[in-house]
Amino acid sequence: NAGVTQTPKFRILKIGQSMTLQCTQDMNHNYMYWYRQDPGMGLKLIYYSVGAGITDKGEVPNGYNVSRSTTEDFPLRLELAAPSQTSVYFCASSNGAGGSGELFFGEGSRLTVL
Amino acid sequence: AQSVTQLGSHVSVSEGALVLLRCNYSSSVPPYLFWYVQYPNQGLQLLLKYTSAATLVKGINGFEAEFKKSETSFHLTKPSAHMSDAAEYFCAVMKGNTPLVFGKGTRLSVIA
C-alpha cells in the first residue's frame, strides 16, 4: 500500500524558475492538503481540496497554485521561485474532516531556491 | 481562529524518565485535538487524537494525552522514555470541517 507519494524528494531551483511538486494518493481520500514546514515554525497550510474540482487557499497561498482534476492527484505549482519558498513541502490526504480527519502524509519534498 | 501553543521547542529527557510535552489550545468550543510525530526525514504520523469520546486518550508506542477543558490543555505523556522516541512532536487542532492547524513542534531528545 503506497499511501501518499510525493515527487521529487529533492530539488534545487534558480530564482524565477517554475516547477510542479507532484502528489498522488491511492486511498481514495476526498481531502488533500499541501503544507510547508520551516524550522521552528511548524507546518503551515498552503492549499487544500475537499474533492476533485474543488480547491481553497490556506494560510500561506501566495506564490503557489494547485489543481485537482482527479481524486488521486493534487499537484502544487510554483510559478516564479523565490528564496522565501525554500522549505520542505508535505502533501497529505484524509478520508474526512473533523474527528475522522486523520491525515496521512507523504515523505516530503525538499526544495531549495538559490 | 483556533490555534495551539506548544511550550518548549526542545525537551531533553533521560532514557527511562517521564516524557511530558505540553500543548495548550485556544478555542471557544472544544475542538478535535491531535498529536503527530515526525521522525527524521519522514512525514508526520498520527500518535493519538481526542474527539470528545474520552478525556484520556491512549495512542501508539505507549503515549497518552489528557484533555483538560478547564486548563485548555492536551499534554502528551509517556511514563518511560525510550531512545526510539527521539523525534519531533506536533500538537494540532481542528474545529468543525476546517483543516488542521499545527503547533510549532517540540523536539524530543532522549539521553542514554
Side-chain angles (χ1 to χ4, degrees):
Chain A
N1 190 358
V4 178
T5 302
Q6 294 181 232
T7 57
K9 286 186 167 43
F10 302 93
R11 182 74 186 267
I12 298 175
L13 281 181
K14 294 182 179 179
I15 294 172
Q17 287 185 320
S18 300
M19 76 160 297
T20 299
L21 299 177
Q22 302 291 345
C23 175
T24 186
Q25 51 94 6
D26 62 0
M27 297 173 283
N28 201 33
H29 286 169
N30 284 324
Y31 294 73
M32 294 189 74
Y33 309 83
W34 275 105
Y35 287 90
R36 60 176 287 172
Q37 182 180 27
D38 301 296
M41 300 302 294
L43 280 78
K44 293 190 184 298
L45 183 66
I46 305 171
Y47 272 95
Y48 67 103
S49 169
V50 300
I54 305 169
T55 62
D56 208 348
K57 296 178 180 179
E59 183 182 357
V60 290
N62 291 343
Y64 307 94
N65 278 300
V66 294
S67 60
R68 185 91 183 273
S69 57
T70 68
T71 299
E72 295 78 20
D73 300 307
F74 191 42
L76 178 71
R77 178 85 177 159
L78 285 71
E79 290 294 348
L80 291 170
S84 60
Q85 294 177 306
T86 294
S87 187
V88 181
Y89 292 84
F90 287 98
C91 179
S93 72
S94 72
N95 194 31
S100 62
E102 174 185 352
L103 267 60
F104 293 84
F105 282 82
E107 294 192 344
S109 298
R110 184 177 296 274
L111 175 67
T112 302
V113 182
L114 300 174
Chain B
Q2 67 267 25
S3 66
V4 289
T5 301
Q6 292 185 241
L7 299 177
S9 59
H10 182 210
V11 170
S12 185
V13 300
S14 298
E15 192 173 19
L18 171 73
V19 176
L20 171 61
L21 304 181
R22 300 177 188 273
C23 172
N24 288 87
Y25 68 91
S26 66
S27 175
S28 59
V29 175
Y32 301 112
L33 292 159
F34 303 77
W35 276 99
Y36 281 81
V37 61
Q38 183 182 31
Y39 298 103
N41 299 316
Q42 294 186 24
L44 282 70
Q45 62 184 80
L46 183 68
L47 266 182
L48 50 82
K49 63 181 180 182
Y50 166 76
T51 60
S52 77
T55 57
L56 183 61
V57 182
K58 294 187 183 298
I60 62 172
N61 301 336
F63 284 93
E64 63 182 36
E66 186 172 8
F67 173 72
K68 292 187 175 180
K69 183 178 177 181
S70 61
E71 298 177 7
T72 61
S73 69
F74 191 56
H75 301 332
L76 181 71
T77 61
K78 182 175 180 177
S80 177
H82 191 273
M83 297 297 290
S84 61
D85 294 327
E88 188 146 21
Y89 293 80
F90 293 92
C91 184
V93 63
M94 175 188 286
K95 193 165 78 170
N97 291 327
T98 60
L100 270 182
V101 174
F102 287 88
K104 293 185 177 181
T106 298
R107 184 164 61 91
L108 175 67
S109 297
V110 182
I111 304 167

